[in-house]
Amino acid sequence: MTTFPTDEPVLVTGATGYVAGWLVKELLDAGITVHATIRDPGDTRKTAHLQEIAATAPGTLRFFKADLLNEGSYAEAMAGCAIVFHTASPFTSSVKDPQRELIDPAVKGTRNVMETAARTPGVKRVIVTSSCAAIYTDAIDCSKAPGGVLTEDVWNTSASLDYQPYSYSKTLAEQEAWKIAEAQERFKLVTVNPSLVIGPALNDRPTSESFNIVRQMGDGTMKRGAPKLGLGVVDVRDLARAHMEAGYREDADGRHIISGHNTNILELGKALIEKYGDRYPVPRQSLPKWIVWLVGPIVGDISRKFVANNVDVKWRADNTKSKRALGMTYRPMKTSMEEMFQQMIDAGAFGK
């Protein structure tokens, strides 16, 4: 069991986010002082869930104002911290200006945090929340990887500003992080590369793209079927634990694929049938690829190239390193989906 020293504070960027919330909880429960950066510390609607956790946890929570695009804005929050967890980065597929909405916040924000860390005495390690999106763009890329399986040695080479800009933003941001890390000797960089994150949120108004996908499984959008769109998934609580292990294990090094299951959208939906199938129109059958190809660009702004490269294409990634180097174990996918879906029901996401 990894020990978590409590004598030095740590910094968590984007602390009110879906992943960051569970990480902050883990840190506070371990008795650690957390410096949490957000754009507006005075917005109690966004901080209430973290304040509630901190009220009964042995750790201490302090909020600081910072912005990804405001150079130097992380300096005050980072002062005195031993570890920096950089989780802040936009995750959305609905963008009008990919450069402004995705690339700039991801790359410039990472540069801002990394360069501040390089100037801050006491920072020993930086953990960057990257993504499997920095490893691949489409499920078809798995077949091109050595042995047909994605590993930490693989980098995304097929995303661009015009095609899958989110994946492009995560690739450029992680590359920027490694470039800065290798040019200094103050801290060690470790990255975690999760697949699609699922599971319940601590915030009752989560904005992660994952919730948009699962919402369609309960509101009737997928009642005629769901595509076998290949992807990987990981529970948000397992991902938070991976951050902790990456931060405090002495020998943690390099990149780590954090993914519990190789699966597809249909299988995610089918995981809900046993508990919710009698009350909600969860998907039970495969939506044929030709239908997705035909209607995707019309109803969902899904390009035919994306359909060709992902639907009915198996996604495979090797999570062996995370198990060996970080001691990771992963929750059953069914558990994650049921708890996520139930939270959405309780929040009225499906209008019942």
Side-chain angles (χ1 to χ4, degrees):
M1 189 72 180
T2 307
T3 55
F4 305 117
T6 60
D7 55 330
E8 294 174 302
V10 304
L11 169 65
V12 178
T13 71
T16 56
Y18 177 37
V19 174
W22 283 103
L23 172 57
V24 169
K25 184 179 188 306
E26 286 256 357
L27 291 162
L28 291 173
D29 286 347
I32 296 164
T33 296
V34 178
H35 290 189
T37 61
I38 57 174
R39 277 180 287 189
D40 181 9
D43 188 348
T44 54
R45 291 176 309 156
K46 291 191 175 180
T47 62
H49 64 293
L50 297 179
Q51 299 274 26
E52 192 176 323
I53 292 164
T56 57
T60 302
L61 180 64
R62 296 180 62 199
F63 285 107
F64 292 82
K65 180 180 176 63
D67 188 281
L68 289 170
L69 297 178
N70 185 356
E71 192 173 332
S73 65
Y74 290 91
E76 182 188 359
M78 202 179 293
C81 290
I83 301 173
V84 173
F85 294 95
H86 178 43
T87 77
S89 189
F91 176 30
T92 177
S93 60
S94 178
V95 293
K96 293 179 180 177
D97 184 342
Q99 183 68 44
R100 184 178 63 82
E101 296 174 63
L102 291 174
I103 310 298
D104 287 349
V107 178
K108 292 180 180 179
T110 297
R111 184 185 304 140
N112 189 4
V113 171
M114 296 288 291
E115 288 182 344
T116 302
R119 295 192 297 267
T120 304
V123 173
K124 301 167 188 171
R125 189 173 295 199
V126 176
I127 311 303
V128 167
T129 310
S130 185
S131 172
C132 280
I135 295 174
Y136 86 110
T137 300
D138 296 310
I140 202 168
D141 295 342
C142 298
S143 64
K144 303 169 189 173
V149 180
L150 300 175
T151 70
E152 288 83 1
D153 294 328
V154 178
W155 279 90
N156 186 330
T157 59
S158 52
S160 68
L161 192 61
D162 299 317
Y163 182 69
Q164 298 292 83
Y166 169 73
S167 299
Y168 190 49
S169 76
K170 297 304 288 188
T171 305
L172 294 179
E174 190 186 342
Q175 288 173 340
E176 183 73 7
W178 284 112
K179 176 183 169 185
I180 294 170
E182 288 160 6
Q184 57 79 55
E185 297 181 351
R186 184 183 298 282
F187 64 82
K188 179 180 185 180
L189 172 64
V190 183
T191 68
V192 292
N193 298 71
S195 53
L196 182 71
V197 185
I198 60 174
L202 287 171
N203 185 346
D204 61 2
R205 289 181 296 275
T207 57
S208 171
E209 193 70 22
S210 311
F211 287 85
N212 294 330
I213 295 170
V214 176
R215 187 175 293 108
Q216 294 177 53
M217 295 175 180
D219 67 5
T221 303
M222 295 187 184
K223 65 182 177 182
R224 296 185 186 278
K228 288 184 178 177
L229 192 156
L231 43 68
V233 295
V234 62
D235 189 284
V236 65
R237 295 158 292 189
D238 295 337
L239 178 54
R241 170 55 50 162
H243 281 78
M244 293 283 285
E245 300 294 340
Y248 288 96
R249 285 197 179 219
E250 282 296 320
D251 56 352
D253 189 64
R255 311 170 89 197
H256 302 80
I257 289 175
I258 309 297
S259 184
H261 310 278
N262 300 334
T263 187
N264 61 60
I265 295 290
L266 175 61
E267 291 305 312
L268 289 179
K270 287 170 73 173
L272 298 168
I273 291 174
E274 182 182 348
K275 190 169 181 180
Y276 301 102
D278 60 337
R279 291 175 287 152
Y280 293 88
V282 297
R284 297 168 179 269
Q285 60 191 16
S286 172
L287 201 59
K289 185 168 185 171
W290 69 268
I291 290 181
V292 186
W293 187 88
L294 191 65
V295 305
I298 301 166
V299 301
D301 196 26
I302 301 168
S303 75
R304 286 175 176 155
K305 177 180 178 181
F306 179 82
V307 174
N309 290 349
N310 291 279
V311 176
D312 293 350
V313 180
K314 290 187 176 180
W315 190 89
R316 295 186 181 92
D318 184 356
N319 63 10
T320 304
K321 183 182 178 184
S322 73
K323 293 176 179 177
R324 183 190 71 248
L326 303 182
M328 289 300 298
T329 57
Y330 293 99
R331 284 172 172 79
M333 185 174 79
K334 188 168 182 284
T335 301
S336 304
M337 286 298 293
E338 287 181 349
E339 293 180 4
M340 184 181 193
F341 199 77
Q342 185 60 53
Q343 181 185 48
M344 294 175 74
I345 290 171
D346 296 342
F350 309 122
K352 288 190 180 183

